[in-house]
Amino acid sequence: MGIKEKIKEIEDEMSRTQKNKATNYHLGTLKAKLAKLKSELLLGEGGGKSGPSGPGFDVARAGDARVALIGFPSVGKSTLLSSITETKSEAAGYEFTTLTCIPGNLYHKGTRIQVLDLPGIIEGAASGKGRGKEVIAVARSADLVLMVLDAQKEGLQRHREILEGELESVGMRLNCQPPDISILPKKAGGVRFNNTVPLTKMGPDPAKTALNILKTNKIMNAEVLCRCDCTVDEFIDVVMGNRKYVRCLYAYNKIDTVSIEEIDKLARNPHSTVMSVNNNLNMDYLVSQIWSYLGLTRVYTKRRGQQPDLSAPVVLSTLRRGTTVQSLCSNVSSHMLRDFAFALVWGKSAKHAPQRCGLQHG
């Protein structure tokens, strides 16, 4: 029996199983087996890449942050790239105009943001349909996923829900924080399970549920500490260790084709904005939202006795190395971090100007 058949068998068993306290352990074990099989399907039995060995969409990382445009065919991704960057991506009235990854640079507030126009994906992309694996692999490397949706089709075709399911199935968690759980493997001694808060989402005996999940993944000896009220799925994510937590902004395009009531409804969805690329509606707000979701901070340096250099800021990101003084030193020079004594800081983070700070100031 192949991996896909095993996945189908487990999914069928989960759909037949009633959800109650008595079946909680069984469902947790099934979810752990399902997550492990899906990971094997994506990476291959031997840990290598599965699927066709054709050319991929590898693009060298550049700039201060990376944004990946994800969406179904003909929703306006190429037109959007051409609108907010200097790169001209081919756009036409038929589907799958873009067949490879096209990079562009968005310059905003003194920063350089790399924007990647990816081919449109379809339902079943996570299993390889339409070269979906290559597209999603690039999306996993991005700091922000910009999901472009057609406002006219969203009400009937549920494109947002389908795309979220495809990304979730390959281990991408959109707009979620990693659960505060630590699992420290040991050589012997069995599993020791502790929690600092009450666990209300893992059944009547959370320790037993966690033990079943660990055994399914062949972890027999470990120290487990839960500092949050996690779910079974979140605990499985930590055990698997290959989940990618990514910020996602949903951009509804072509709002000039729907009513104002529909626009208002779409704009009120979480993490959403509305726009029309062809009519240049709300584009400035979209760019400002991209900046906000990336969590970028500009830091201007100055030499002793001189004015600060306002032409070339050091750009820090909460999604990469952080926004502390230590992150700044690492970005500038390894010698600066090695010889660091203290820093004089001006700005909103300082209690007075200047404030003498250490490496952990942020």
Side-chain angles (χ1 to χ4, degrees), residues 150-153 252-267 274-275 281:
D150 190 330
Q152 191 175 19
K153 299 178 181 178
Y252 293 94
N253 190 23
K254 305 180 184 180
I255 59 172
D256 53 307
T257 61
V258 297
S259 65
I260 190 65
E261 290 79 9
E262 291 177 282
I263 295 173
D264 182 67
K265 183 179 178 181
L266 293 173
V274 294
M275 64 176 185
L281 297 176

Side-chain angles (χ1 to χ4, degrees), residues 74-95:
S74 297
V75 294
K77 299 187 300 298
S78 298
T79 309
L80 175 60
L81 179 75
S82 302
S83 175
I84 63 177
T85 72
E86 297 176 353
T87 302
K88 300 302 177 184
S89 181
E90 182 181 357
Y94 52 87
E95 295 186 346

Side-chain angles (χ1 to χ4, degrees), residues 4 18 28 31 44 59 81 128 131 134 142-143 160-161 178 210 220 238 263 268 291 293 303 316 337 344 351 359 362:
K4 291 184 179 180
Q18 293 183 351
K31 287 181 178 180
V59 176
L81 179 75
R131 298 195 71 185
E134 290 93 331
D143 300 304
R160 173 170 175 165
E161 183 180 333
M220 304 301 178
V238 176
I263 295 173
R268 293 181 184 275
W291 163 272
Y293 270 67
R303 295 181 181 274
L316 306 179
L337 186 61
L344 295 178
K351 295 181 180 179
L359 287 174

Side-chain angles (χ1 to χ4, degrees), residues 271-285:
H271 309 290
S272 301
T273 183
V274 294
M275 64 176 185
S276 174
V277 181
N278 286 330
N279 292 282
N280 197 28
L281 297 176
N282 217 30
M283 296 301 296
D284 291 339
Y285 181 71

Side-chain angles (χ1 to χ4, degrees), residues 75-189:
V75 294
K77 299 187 300 298
S78 298
T79 309
L80 175 60
L81 179 75
S82 302
S83 175
I84 63 177
T85 72
E86 297 176 353
T87 302
K88 300 302 177 184
S89 181
E90 182 181 357
Y94 52 87
E95 295 186 346
F96 296 105
T97 309
T98 303
L99 299 176
T100 186
C101 179
I102 301 176
N105 291 314
L106 168 62
Y107 295 95
H108 184 65
K109 293 185 177 181
T111 64
R112 176 188 171 196
I113 302 171
Q114 185 182 49
V115 183
L116 303 180
D117 178 20
L118 297 170
I121 62 178
I122 57 177
E123 189 170 4
S127 59
K129 289 185 179 180
R131 298 195 71 185
K133 285 187 179 181
E134 290 93 331
V135 175
I136 293 175
V138 176
R140 284 179 65 95
S141 70
D143 300 304
L144 172 68
V145 171
L146 182 60
M147 192 177 293
V148 185
L149 303 162
D150 190 330
Q152 191 175 19
K153 299 178 181 178
E154 185 59 27
L156 298 174
Q157 301 187 9
R158 303 179 298 104
H159 284 176
R160 173 170 175 165
E161 183 180 333
I162 293 171
L163 291 174
E164 286 177 340
E166 294 295 326
L167 298 179
E168 288 275 339
S169 65
V170 296
M172 292 182 67
R173 302 292 179 258
L174 305 179
N175 296 321
C176 294
Q177 291 294 328
D180 194 359
I181 303 172
S182 63
I183 300 177
L184 180 63
K186 300 188 302 181
K187 294 183 178 180

